C-alpha cells in the first residue's frame, strides 16, 4: 500500500526522481508524473493498464507556463482560461515540441488544465516541469474522489498519495477544444457546466460520444464501469421496476421504496446538483460489492452539472 500524507516536499522529490505520485484535484485524484519524462509517462500507462491511444492531460500552475507548452491560444480559449482557471476545465491547444508525443498519443493538440486544489497547485508551483495526470483508477473503472479510493486500487504501484481529502467537485474536468478561432466544442462534459462556458463564449457544440469522437479517444461508451448491471431511468420509471435483495439504488434526492438501507444511496438530500456530483463516484464504488447485482440509477435533471452526471451514469450503464 502507498503512504498517504500531506508532505508536498516528499511528493516533489518522488516526482523529480521520475516516479509517480497520486495527487488530489478538485475534480478527481490524478496519477501524476513528470510530463517531460518519457519513462514516467510510460509508467503511468502501465500502472493504469491504459491503451496508448488515449492521451493524457498536462497540469500546470499559470497561464505563463501554459504559453511555454502550446503554440497559440485562440481568443475564446483565453477568455475561458481567464475565467475558469484554476478550475475544472481542460482546454485542447496546439502543442509545442516540448510535449512528448506519448503524452498526446501522437495528436498535435495537448490537453491542458490548471487545477484549483491548493496542495496540488502549490506542488505544481514548486516543480520546474508540468505533470501529466490521468484519473488515478485502473482504465475503465470509476474515478477516485478520495486518497483511500486510490490506495485501494493502485496503492501497490504508487509510493505516495498526497491527501487533499474528498474532492469538492467530484466529476472530471470539462474538455473544450477549438477547431478554429470561432468554433468551440465540448468533448467531455464535466465539472464546468456547458451553461457557464456559453455565458463567456456563446454557443458551444457538444460532441462527447467516443465512436464519433476521435478527438477524445478515452471517452469509451463503457467507461466508469462499477462492474454491475446499471439501469438508468426517471424516479417514476425506477419505482415500477421489481426489486430483489440484490437490487441497489442511486437516486437524486429521495430514496426508492423496497430497497434495503445498505443498498440505498441518495446523492443529494439537499437537492443540489453540486452535492450529487460530489457523491456520485463514491456511491458507485460503495455499491460495487458482492451483495449487489443491479443498480437502479435515477437520471439527474438535464441541465448544469446534471448533464455531466447523466453522461457518467450512461457510461456506467453501457454493457
Ligand atoms: O478532471 C480531470 O480532468 C482529471 C484530473 C486528474 O485532472 N483527469 C482526467 O484524466 O480525467 P483522464 O486521463 O482520466 O481523462 C482525460 C481525457 C481522456 O478521455 C482523453 O482521451 C482526453 O482527456 N484527452 C487528453 N488529451 C487529449 C487531446 N489532445 N485531444 C483530445 N482528447 C484528449
Ligand atoms: Mg479517467
Amino acid at each position: 500500500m502507498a503512504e498517504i500524507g500531506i508532505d508536498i516536499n516528499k511528493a516533489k522529490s518522488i516526482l523529480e526522481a521520475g516516479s509517480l505520485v497520486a495527487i488530489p484535484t478538485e475534480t478527481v485524484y490524478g496519477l501524476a508524473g513528470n510530463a517531460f519524462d518519457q519513462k514516467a509517462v510510460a509508467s503511468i500507462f502501465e500502472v493504469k493498464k491504459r491503451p496508448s491511444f488515449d492521451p493524457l492531460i498536462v497540469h500546470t500552475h499559470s497561464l505563463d507556463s501554459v504559453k511555454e507548452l502550446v503554440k497559440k491560444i485562440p481568443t475564446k480559449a483565453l477568455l475561458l482560461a481567464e475565467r475558469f482557471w484554476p478550475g475544472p476545465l481542460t482546454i485542447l491547444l496546439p502543442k509545442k515540441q516540448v510535449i512528448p508525443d506519448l503524452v498526446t498519443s501522437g495528436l498535435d493538440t495537448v490537453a491542458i488544465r490548471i487545477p484549483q486544489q491548493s496542495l496540488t497547485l502549490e506542488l505544481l508551483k514548486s516543480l520546474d516541469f508540468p505533470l501529466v495526470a490521468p484519473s488515478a483508477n485502473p482504465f475503465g473503472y470509476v474515478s477516485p474522489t478520495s486518497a483511500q479510493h486510490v490506495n485501494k486500487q493502485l496503492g501497490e504501484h504508487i509510493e505516495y498519495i498526497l491527501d487533499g481529502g474528498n474532492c469538492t467537485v467530484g466529476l472530471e474536468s470539462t474538455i473544450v477544444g477549438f477547431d478554429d478561432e470561432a468554433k468551440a466544442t465540448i468533448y467531455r462534459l464535466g465539472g464546468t457546466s456547458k451553461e457557464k462556458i456559453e455565458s463567456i463564449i456563446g454557443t458551444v457544440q457538444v460532441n462527447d460520444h467516443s465512436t464519433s469522437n476521435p478527438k477524445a479517444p478515452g471517452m469509451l461508451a463503457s467507461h466508469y464501469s462499477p462492474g454491475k448491471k446499471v439501469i438508468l431511468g426517471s424516479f417514476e420509471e425506477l419505482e415500477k421496476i421489481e426489486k430483489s435483495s440484490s437490487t441497489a439504488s442511486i437516486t437524486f434526492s429521495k430514496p426508492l421504496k423496497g430497497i434495503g438501507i445498505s443498498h440505498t444511496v441518495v446523492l443529494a438530500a439537499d437537492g443540489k446538483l453540486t452535492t450529487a456530483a460530489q457523491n456520485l463516484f463514491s456511491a458507485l464504488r460503495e455499491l460495487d460489492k458482492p451483495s449487489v447485482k443491479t443498480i437502479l440509477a435515477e437520471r439527474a435533471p438535464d441541465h448544469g452539472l446534471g448533464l455531466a452526471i447523466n453522461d457518467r451514469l450512461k457510461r456506467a450503464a453501457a454493457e
Side-chain angles (χ1 to χ4, degrees):
M1 286 287 123
E3 187 186 336
I4 299 181
I6 56 166
D7 187 345
I8 292 175
N9 286 321
K10 178 157 187 164
K12 180 176 185 309
S13 43
I14 294 170
L15 290 163
E16 283 171 347
S19 295
L20 309 183
V21 171
I23 56 166
T25 84
E26 67 280 14
T27 60
V28 300
Y29 276 70
L31 178 59
N34 178 351
F36 295 153
D37 178 345
Q38 306 247 22
K39 264 198 187 150
V41 178
S43 64
I44 289 178
F45 281 95
E46 208 175 287
V47 167
K48 275 193 61 114
K49 298 199 169 40
R50 180 179 179 114
S52 60
F53 60 75
D54 191 3
L56 304 176
I57 297 175
V58 173
H59 299 69
T60 186
H61 57 83
S62 67
L63 211 45
D64 281 341
S65 60
V66 172
K67 288 173 185 158
E68 287 167 26
L69 308 173
V70 306
K71 286 186 186 151
K72 69 167 207 168
I73 307 181
T75 314
K76 284 187 174 177
L78 191 60
L79 287 172
L80 292 179
E82 284 168 349
R83 172 63 184 80
F84 297 114
W85 279 348
L89 180 71
T90 294
I91 307 180
L92 304 179
L93 296 165
K95 85 176 191 79
K96 279 188 182 162
Q97 279 250 294
V98 286
I99 307 277
D101 286 333
L102 192 55
V103 169
T104 61
S105 304
L107 297 172
D108 52 16
T109 56
V110 59
I112 306 261
R113 176 160 109 83
I114 301 180
Q116 190 173 45
Q117 206 286 335
S118 55
L119 284 176
T120 288
L121 201 50
E122 204 180 314
L123 172 66
L124 285 164
K125 285 178 186 159
S126 77
L127 295 168
D128 51 19
F129 48 82
L131 293 175
V132 276
S135 52
N137 51 278
F139 183 71
Y141 196 75
V142 181
S143 296
T145 52
S146 73
Q148 289 69 32
H149 290 167
V150 179
N151 208 17
K152 207 170 160 196
Q153 289 188 305
L154 297 182
E156 57 183 305
H157 304 287
I158 316 171
E159 238 175 279
Y160 195 61
I161 303 174
L162 196 58
D163 188 358
N166 292 335
C167 298
T168 54
V169 175
L171 297 171
E172 299 85 352
S173 60
T174 301
I175 302 179
V176 185
F178 295 84
D179 283 343
D180 52 57
E181 283 283 332
K183 191 163 156 250
T185 304
I186 292 179
Y187 293 101
R188 177 175 72 182
L189 293 159
T192 302
S193 71
K194 176 172 184 268
E195 290 91 332
K196 277 192 179 172
I197 289 171
E198 291 187 326
S199 74
I200 307 294
I201 59 167
T203 312
V204 297
Q205 176 188 330
V206 179
N207 179 7
D208 60 348
H209 298 291
S210 57
T211 42
S212 59
N213 186 8
K215 281 225 169 156
M219 295 298 287
L220 300 177
S222 62
H223 243 68
Y224 308 96
S225 163
K228 305 289 171 187
K229 185 177 170 69
V230 178
I231 299 173
L232 191 57
S234 69
F235 195 85
E236 293 68 30
E237 284 164 350
L238 300 180
E239 272 184 315
K240 289 180 200 142
I241 292 174
E242 197 167 328
K243 284 94 184 163
S244 77
S245 60
S246 63
T247 309
S249 68
I250 298 179
T251 53
F252 185 58
S253 59
K254 55 181 197 281
L256 267 182
K257 291 203 182 79
I259 293 176
I261 191 134
S262 67
H263 285 186
T264 296
V265 181
V266 175
L267 291 177
D270 61 8
K272 288 185 184 159
L273 284 167
T274 48
T275 310
Q278 269 167 11
N279 295 326
L280 178 66
F281 288 163
S282 56
L284 286 169
R285 279 172 188 262
E286 191 184 322
L287 296 179
D288 187 0
K289 53 189 174 189
S291 60
V292 174
K293 287 213 168 67
T294 303
I295 300 173
L296 307 181
E298 180 187 0
R299 214 177 282 116
D302 245 350
H303 60 83
L305 289 183
L307 293 177
I309 292 172
N310 289 338
D311 171 83
R312 303 305 186 269
L313 286 174
K314 266 183 244 160
R315 287 175 207 283
E319 298 282 326

